[in-house]
Structures are given as C-alpha cells and as structure tokens.
Amino acid sequence: MASSTILLDYWPSMFCMRARVALREKGVEFEAKEEDLTNKSPLLLQSNPIHKKVPVLIHNGKPVCESLNVVQYIDEAWSDKNPFFPSDPYGKAQARFWADFVEKKFSDAQFKIWGKKGEEQAAGVKEFIEAVKILEAELGDKPYFGGDSFGYVDIALITFYSWFGAYEKFGNFSIEAESPKLIAWCKRCMEKESVSKSLPDQEKIVAYAADFRKNNL
Amino acid sequence: MAEEVILLNFWPSMFGMRTMIALKEKEVKYEHKEEDLLNNKSPLLLESNPIYKKVPVLIHNGKPICESVIQVQYIDEIWSDKNPLLPKDSYQRAQALFWADFIDKKLYVCGRKTWATKGEELEEAKKEFIEILKTLQSELGDKPYFGGDTFGFVDIVLIGFYSWFPAYQKFGNFSVEPECSKLMDWGKRCMERESVATSLPDPERVAGYILQLKKRYGIE
C-alpha cells in the first residue's frame, strides 16, 4: 500500500519545525504544503476544524494536530528507528513533563519578546531567562535532554533556536551570555541534518518578526 | 519489591480527580495526602514539584511525576495489566491526546471566567463555555464514552469538570441544558462508576469553595 505523508506547514512556525525534524529523524518521505495563514486552504480547515492551525500531519488521509502530539505520533508510527523516548515509563513521563514545560513557560515568554513591547516585552525577557536557566539545569552535563541520544524534549525545544536572533535583537539581550550551555546544546543539535534542514536561517526570522512588529505594534 | 504510591492532592482539583480515578480504575493501593493549597504547601509538595508547586503530584516508589495528563499516561503504562485507559492504536491515541489537550486549553480558563468575571466578559465566557461543551458533545456523538464502549482516557480527563458544572452555572447564572443534555447524560453515566463517584466532590461543596475563593481574592 502506498503511504502518503503530508505536512501542512508554515515556514517560520517553530511548531511546524518540530514536525519536520521528527519526520526527518525517522527518514520519512513527506510532502510539505506551505499554508498562507491569511488565506487558509480548504484542506487545513477540513483537517483541523477545531483550531484551524498548523502543523497538521496527514498520514494515509488521517489528520493529526498539535505539534507535540504529531511528534509522539511520528515516533509510534515509525517505531523502527531513532526512538524519541526512553523505554521506561518514568523516563517517558519526565520527557513529557519537560516538553510540556517548554509549551507552558518557554513558549509564552518568547512570544512576548518579539510580539510585544514595553512592560510586557520586558516581562517576557525576564520569564524567558528564568525558563532558560531551569532548562539548562535540567540538561546538566548530558549531550542532549534525552541523554546520549537526541529525543523528544530536544525536538520540542530546538526549533526555537531559529528565533534566537529575533529574541536577542528585539529583547536587547544576549542568550549566550545568560546560558552558554544551552547555546552549546543548540549548536550540537544543529549538526544533525534533520535539524539543520528543518530550521530557517535566523536572519529570515528576524526579518519576519520585524515585519510583524511593524504591522502590529 | 513493595510498591509505594502517594498522591498529593487538593479535593476540589479537577486535575487531581483524574489521577485518583486512574489509580482506582487500576485498583492501585495508594496513600492520599491532602494539601492545604491556599495556606500552607507541604515540604513534600515543594520538594516533589519545585517547578510549579502544584497538585496533583504522584510519587511512585519515591519518584515524583507531575502534571495530571502525564500521570494518567504513566499509570496506564505501569499498571498495564488491567483496564487499559488509552487505545493501542497510534492514531486513536493521537486523537485521545488531542482531546485532552483541547479540554486543558479551553475548559479550565473559560470555566473560571463564569465565576470570576462579570458584565461583558462574563457574557462572552458563557457563550464560549457552551460552545466548548457542544464541541465535546459532538465528539462524543452516540458513543457511551469518549473512548467508545469503554470508559477511558478522555473520559477521565473531562469528568472532574462535571463536579464543577453546577457551580459554573450557578455563579454565571446560566444553564447548559438543553443544548448540552447529551453531555450531562455522559456525566451521569460516568458517575455510576465507583472510581468516579468516590473521586468527585459534591457540587455543593465546590460551590462553597468558590465562595471562599471569591472572598479571598475580592471577586464579587
């Protein structure tokens, strides 16, 4: 049976990037369909009627929504190589906890840095730095959050690296100064083809964010 | 090896209810430690969940697991010999996780607004609340449970809110019937299960707790 794997995608979305990284880690051939979010395709509206958001993975005609959900699904559907999770339930629970932390704390904070200004932006920078320090402590001396191998938490977090240039420019701070360990981990992940192929250049994101600020703030 | 299972909880928490129900569904013996969340969090809680300092926390043989949806998955994986909570099929599992995420993103925040806001904000919240319930009702369809024929993951994630529905309607001064009567029937069906009936507080007690919160935070 011919299998079809389609990713409804949006190039600057760090959430879509997670799906791209995950698919490439598993060596899956997929078709990325770029969405114009100001003019969402019928396929997107039909595949994700509840949230109408990207990414959506359509595997053999069936849609999976929400990026972390998509990554977990990819891990299970292509379970023969590069597992994203440790095999023990406690290790899995810890991985899920830290990916959830990235969603709850890191994600909200980073948006305030490039998407807001004034007090809200300043609060975003502060929360971002706090979150980075917590993540750095969790990483410890391990090469990856997953331990010796690149895994679920690494995938959840690394995609934000493409936005670091934008955070530093608009938030006016240096992430490397705050956390050299985290930057070292970012560079280590970027050596993987699945990551470097899936993340846009930081300059492109800076231009995207500048445009957003011009039009919205 | 002797199994030690502790649950740090707070009785009105619709999140803690999930973990309690999952443990009961699996017939796991556990020690329930009630936290005084408003006034005095225990050293064990602060040590086991230093990031969020919230309940529920599941401590299994000394190792803490935080976040209720993660705990339910963990419980399902550790005590996998009976009453599976999540489907085996990866696609169906992804669907179950999608609905758990939907409930977490939408229902808690909107529910809170029904007792913590007024005026225009309250009117918007009431409309949104009914829409959320109708979406869930539509997903349920004609199935007895969200999982199909058997009580499962999404049922567990949602049912705790059932004990809060009467309070939301009382303080927000609205009714979810008749539009959401099918969902209310689902709630009653779940309440027939001992794991659920013994884990959900009396709605009257929840209303009393909300009054306490309103006084404490100066919300009219």
Side-chain angles (χ1 to χ4, degrees), chain A residues 24-67:
Chain A
R24 289 187 169 116
E25 275 289 300
K26 298 287 189 173
V28 177
E29 300 266 339
F30 67 98
E31 183 193 344
K33 285 191 198 262
E34 186 71 13
E35 283 286 330
D36 171 4
L37 293 187
T38 62
N39 185 19
K40 294 176 182 182
S41 72
L43 183 58
L44 173 56
L45 299 176
Q46 184 190 91
S47 310
N48 190 358
I50 304 283
H51 301 302
K52 306 178 177 57
K53 285 183 173 178
V54 285
V56 180
L57 180 76
I58 307 176
H59 185 214
N60 296 332
K62 298 196 289 189
V64 181
C65 306
E66 294 302 304
S67 62

Side-chain angles (χ1 to χ4, degrees), chain A residues 106-120:
Chain A
F106 192 87
S107 186
D108 279 353
Q110 62 85 36
F111 175 70
K112 288 181 198 169
I113 302 175
W114 65 271
K116 302 280 176 189
K117 55 183 182 181
E119 266 181 46
E120 259 192 290

Side-chain angles (χ1 to χ4, degrees), chain A residues 24-184:
Chain A
R24 289 187 169 116
E25 275 289 300
K26 298 287 189 173
V28 177
E29 300 266 339
F30 67 98
E31 183 193 344
K33 285 191 198 262
E34 186 71 13
E35 283 286 330
D36 171 4
L37 293 187
T38 62
N39 185 19
K40 294 176 182 182
S41 72
L43 183 58
L44 173 56
L45 299 176
Q46 184 190 91
S47 310
N48 190 358
I50 304 283
H51 301 302
K52 306 178 177 57
K53 285 183 173 178
V54 285
V56 180
L57 180 76
I58 307 176
H59 185 214
N60 296 332
K62 298 196 289 189
V64 181
C65 306
E66 294 302 304
S67 62
L68 289 182
N69 218 8
V70 169
V71 174
Q72 285 192 80
Y73 175 80
I74 289 168
D75 192 44
E76 289 170 21
W78 290 278
S79 55
D80 51 315
K81 69 184 287 203
N82 287 351
F84 297 160
F85 286 94
S87 52
D88 68 300
Y90 188 73
K92 283 197 178 98
Q94 291 309 97
R96 289 177 181 134
F97 175 85
W98 285 105
D100 180 71
F101 175 85
V102 171
E103 287 304 66
K104 278 189 168 73
K105 297 284 183 184
F106 192 87
S107 186
D108 279 353
Q110 62 85 36
F111 175 70
K112 288 181 198 169
I113 302 175
W114 65 271
K116 302 280 176 189
K117 55 183 182 181
E119 266 181 46
E120 259 192 290
Q121 185 189 49
V125 173
K126 189 163 170 279
E127 287 160 24
F128 181 88
I129 293 173
E130 274 165 24
V132 160
K133 295 240 186 295
I134 291 173
L135 286 164
E136 188 186 53
E138 171 56 22
L139 179 65
D141 292 320
K142 306 193 296 288
Y144 300 104
F145 283 91
D148 285 325
S149 39
F150 182 79
Y152 185 63
V153 182
D154 303 283
I155 295 174
L157 183 60
I158 190 54
T159 61
F160 291 91
Y161 179 65
S162 59
W163 281 75
F164 279 15
Y167 305 154
E168 291 184 326
K169 174 167 180 155
F170 298 112
N172 197 26
F173 71 114
S174 160
I175 300 175
E176 177 135 27
E178 297 295 338
S179 177
K181 252 191 174 171
L182 194 74
I183 296 296

Side-chain angles (χ1 to χ4, degrees), chain B residues 184-211:
Chain B
M184 297 304 119
D185 288 343
W186 161 86
K188 291 186 193 104
R189 189 176 304 123
C190 291
M191 285 292 285
E192 288 167 12
R193 297 181 80 77
E194 202 182 313
S195 65
V196 176
T198 55
S199 304
L200 266 56
D202 199 297
E204 282 303 308
R205 215 177 152 206
V206 173
Y209 171 68
I210 291 178
L211 271 174

Side-chain angles (χ1 to χ4, degrees), chain A residues 48 50-51 53 59 62-66 69 72-73 76-77 88-90 92-94 96-98 100-105 134, chain B residues 49 51-52 54 60 63-67 70 73-74 77-78 88-91 93-99 101-102 105-106 135:
Chain A
N48 190 358
I50 304 283
H51 301 302
K53 285 183 173 178
H59 185 214
K62 298 196 289 189
V64 181
C65 306
E66 294 302 304
N69 218 8
Q72 285 192 80
Y73 175 80
E76 289 170 21
D88 68 300
Y90 188 73
K92 283 197 178 98
Q94 291 309 97
R96 289 177 181 134
F97 175 85
W98 285 105
D100 180 71
F101 175 85
V102 171
E103 287 304 66
K104 278 189 168 73
K105 297 284 183 184
I134 291 173
Chain B
N49 191 358
I51 306 279
Y52 302 116
K54 285 184 177 178
H60 184 211
K63 300 197 289 191
I65 300 110
C66 306
E67 294 303 301
I70 295 174
Q73 290 178 77
Y74 176 82
E77 286 163 20
I78 292 280
K88 288 221 171 345
D89 173 74
S90 318
Y91 183 73
R93 211 165 25 246
Q95 294 307 99
L97 290 172
F98 173 86
W99 286 105
D101 176 75
F102 174 83
K105 275 192 170 80
K106 301 274 186 182
T135 301

Side-chain angles (χ1 to χ4, degrees), chain B residues 125-191:
Chain B
K126 285 172 356 183
K127 277 200 204 104
E128 196 192 343
F129 189 81
I130 294 192
E131 282 312 305
I132 293 168
L133 291 196
K134 280 164 78 173
T135 301
L136 288 165
Q137 189 168 259
S138 163
E139 169 59 20
L140 179 67
D142 291 319
K143 307 194 296 289
Y145 300 104
F146 282 89
D149 286 323
T150 42
F151 181 77
F153 185 72
V154 180
D155 305 283
I156 293 175
V157 170
L158 181 59
I159 192 58
F161 286 91
Y162 183 73
S163 62
W164 282 69
F165 285 167
Y168 290 152
Q169 292 169 85
K170 172 180 168 161
F171 288 102
N173 194 26
F174 71 115
S175 170
V176 302
E177 309 244 21
E179 285 162 293
C180 305
S181 52
K182 251 192 167 174
L183 194 68
M184 297 304 119
D185 288 343
W186 161 86
K188 291 186 193 104
R189 189 176 304 123
C190 291
M191 285 292 285

